[in-house]
Amino acid sequence: MSSSRRPNSEKEFERAQKVIPGGVNSPARAFGAVGGHPVIIDRGEGQYLYDIDGNRYIDFVGSWGPHILGHRHPRVISSIEEALKKGTSFGAPTLLETELAELVADLVPCVEKIRMVNSGTEAGMSAIRLARGYTGRDKVIKFAGCYHGHVDSLLVQAGSGALTLGTPSSPGVPQGCTADTLVLEYNDIAQLKETFTQLGDQIACVILEPVVGNMGVVLPEPGFLESVRDLCTQHGSVFIMDEVMTGFRVALGGAQQRFNIMPDICMLGKVIGGGMPVGAYGGKAEIMDAISPVGTIYQAGTLSGNPIAMASGIATLECLREANPYPQLEEKTQRLTKGLIAAATKAGLEHTLAECGSMFTLFFNPEKVTSYAISARNDTTRFARYFQGMLDRGVYLPCSQFEANFTSTMLTEEDIAHTIQAAEEVLQEIA
Ligand SMILES: *Cc1c(COP(=O)(O)O)cnc(C)c1O
């Protein structure tokens, strides 16, 4: 039924599958968890996406986070156009790189110095190398359900015991790559303390999402981020906050500002590029200066700090700084989430909704989600039907229960009403 509205998407996806594995350049875009085939996008405008069959959708994915200002924001587009006139890449310093670095240092509390890369994955890979090189230690603590890009050492699942080292979660990752990665339960302060007690002097860093977006939205419990900060300080480990999703999203200065917890290093991505490929890692100057060419820890990139990408990021961050849309965006998001909760309650569906600023997840699970173990107990079959029903009604949601929905400043009251109305119908249908 649903695919009949998208004959061109169906046909073109067939074509794509012949030359691209699974027809997609990132597995998150495949509809594996919800069935059917991806919608092929023609263009975006403000809060809307248009597919190649001419259908319009209210977009709650925003390219998985970057488009907090909506698609084709006039200032972002004109900044890109200006930069284009001068050339696309030089492999030599430009003013735009310094400008974006200054902007980020001004807005993000922990950033004194910053290095631009091309993706969140690269930021994660580089931040971990930096932490290991700086401390001279090997072990890394990560939390189950947090995603930091497809870095070998982080593609890992928890071992059987709490303090066992992780095993690779993807073929192609050698055991050796994950042998120094410890996977703990998010929000479990006691487990974290115990781990530091046993191994503290070997731990290079703790890496986490300060608000998790990659197992659905999961908030830090009171005291959790504080404990990570304290334990890292006590044991001389580097605290890496992965703000690729939360940076410029949950507050202008990211989650570190919202929760008032200062990491040593933070990773950025998504909003920082305003839709162009930008990642970054930054923090204390003393640590950042350990990377080449000042220090000896190697990290490089032919297209890093690319002028077109920098121009997009600068315009995006300047708009956010000038307009400070966060309080309004949060209120608007809450009008939407209240409507979704009411619709689920009216349909008699077990649910819980987690939100922070302009990111949220409606879980088909009555339990408050505080960890991966709880998130994994969701009714994903029900989610798949919810997703398809919403798509048929012109609402484009992330195609997995374990992703965050994003709102943009362009979203109108009419869009919110449309989305709530669609949810009421769909949730009744699937109850
Ligand atoms: C998206 C994401 C990444 C990876 O970024 P890419 O640009 O996709 O490599 C890393 N960490 C978090 C928290 C993310 O949400």
Side-chain angles (χ1 to χ4, degrees), residues 2 17 44 62 65 103 124 143 151 162 235 335 337 362 391 413 420:
S2 51
Q17 280 177 292
L103 251 173
F143 296 94
V151 180
H235 294 272
R335 282 198 288 283
T337 54
L362 174 64
L391 192 64
E413 292 304 318
I420 293 172

Side-chain angles (χ1 to χ4, degrees), residues 293-304:
V294 184
T296 51
I297 302 165
Y298 194 66
Q299 184 268 311
T302 301
L303 294 174
S304 293

Side-chain angles (χ1 to χ4, degrees), residues 26 64 118-122 146-150 209 211 213-214 242-246 267 269-270 278-279:
S26 183
W64 301 95
N118 304 286
S119 68
T121 294
E122 246 188 282
C146 287
Y147 178 67
H148 309 291
H150 63 95
E209 290 180 75
V211 175
N214 288 292
D242 178 352
E243 296 235 46
V244 171
M245 192 182 288
T246 53
M267 293 151 57
K270 298 185 173 132
V278 181

Side-chain angles (χ1 to χ4, degrees), residues 42-54:
D42 178 46
R43 65 195 176 89
E45 192 68 52
Q47 69 277 45
Y48 301 120
L49 286 176
Y50 296 84
D51 69 16
I52 57 170
D53 288 284

Side-chain angles (χ1 to χ4, degrees), residues 10-347:
E10 289 293 317
K11 197 176 73 202
E12 291 297 332
F13 187 62
E14 283 285 302
R15 180 180 153 211
Q17 280 177 292
K18 289 184 185 139
V19 284
I20 301 171
V24 289
N25 280 309
S26 183
R29 297 172 204 172
F31 277 21
V34 292
H37 297 142
V39 180
I40 299 191
I41 303 303
D42 178 46
R43 65 195 176 89
E45 192 68 52
Q47 69 277 45
Y48 301 120
L49 286 176
Y50 296 84
D51 69 16
I52 57 170
D53 288 284
N55 298 302
R56 190 190 85 173
Y57 306 89
I58 304 171
D59 182 13
F60 290 101
V61 178
S63 190
W64 301 95
H67 288 304
I68 193 168
L69 297 171
H71 299 272
R72 286 181 47 77
H73 188 284
R75 203 156 137 193
V76 177
I77 296 294
S78 76
S79 176
I80 291 172
E81 282 169 353
E82 279 310 303
L84 264 176
K85 288 179 191 161
K86 297 185 171 182
T88 53
S89 178
F90 313 113
T94 61
L95 294 178
L96 296 172
E97 293 161 85
T98 313
E99 250 179 73
L100 186 57
E102 283 175 350
L103 251 173
V104 176
D106 188 33
L107 298 178
V108 180
C110 85
V111 174
E112 293 169 2
K113 287 194 175 179
I114 185 166
R115 170 69 58 88
M116 301 293 168
V117 292
N118 304 286
S119 68
T121 294
E122 246 188 282
M125 184 182 84
S126 310
I128 286 188
R129 185 180 305 142
L130 172 60
R132 283 173 161 165
Y134 176 76
T135 57
R137 304 171 180 178
D138 289 341
K139 290 198 191 334
V140 170
I141 292 179
K142 87 174 280 285
F143 296 94
C146 287
Y147 178 67
H148 309 291
H150 63 95
V151 180
D152 274 346
S153 65
L154 300 179
L155 287 181
V156 59
Q157 56 209 355
S160 47
L163 295 181
T164 59
L165 293 164
T167 53
S169 62
S170 165
V173 177
Q175 187 73 54
C177 281
T178 59
D180 288 310
T181 311
L182 293 139
V183 185
L184 307 186
E185 221 30 89
Y186 198 74
N187 276 325
D188 190 336
I189 297 173
Q191 191 188 39
L192 183 68
K193 277 194 179 141
E194 174 63 21
T195 306
F196 265 103
T197 303
Q198 292 194 19
L199 300 166
D201 61 351
Q202 300 174 46
I203 292 166
C205 63
V206 176
I207 183 168
L208 57 69
E209 290 180 75
V211 175
V212 192
N214 288 292
M215 50 173 156
V217 171
V218 174
L219 291 155
E221 291 286 294
F224 179 60
L225 298 176
E226 288 83 349
S227 297
V228 175
R229 175 64 282 174
D230 290 348
L231 287 163
C232 283
T233 305
Q234 279 168 34
H235 294 272
S237 308
V238 176
F239 180 7
I240 303 174
M241 219 181 244
D242 178 352
E243 296 235 46
V244 171
M245 192 182 288
T246 53
F248 316 106
R249 170 60 71 178
V250 301
L252 187 55
Q256 55 193 277
Q257 185 175 64
R258 189 176 174 117
F259 296 101
N260 194 26
I261 302 285
M262 193 88 121
D264 301 303
I265 296 291
C266 79
M267 293 151 57
L268 295 163
K270 298 185 173 132
V271 175
I272 193 179
M276 295 293 278
V278 181
Y281 62 109
K284 286 191 180 140
E286 185 212 328
I287 302 178
M288 290 304 293
D289 278 338
I291 55 176
S292 188
V294 184
T296 51
I297 302 165
Y298 194 66
Q299 184 268 311
T302 301
L303 294 174
S304 293
N306 173 272
I308 312 301
M310 295 297 103
S312 175
I314 290 165
T316 302
L317 298 194
E318 278 179 345
C319 282
L320 291 169
R321 180 166 68 176
E322 282 166 31
N324 185 25
Y326 296 93
Q328 235 185 334
L329 182 56
E330 185 156 342
E331 266 175 46
K332 191 157 72 176
T333 308
Q334 282 170 3
R335 282 198 288 283
L336 171 64
T337 54
K338 279 200 184 97
L340 295 177
I341 293 168
T345 307
K346 198 166 141 199

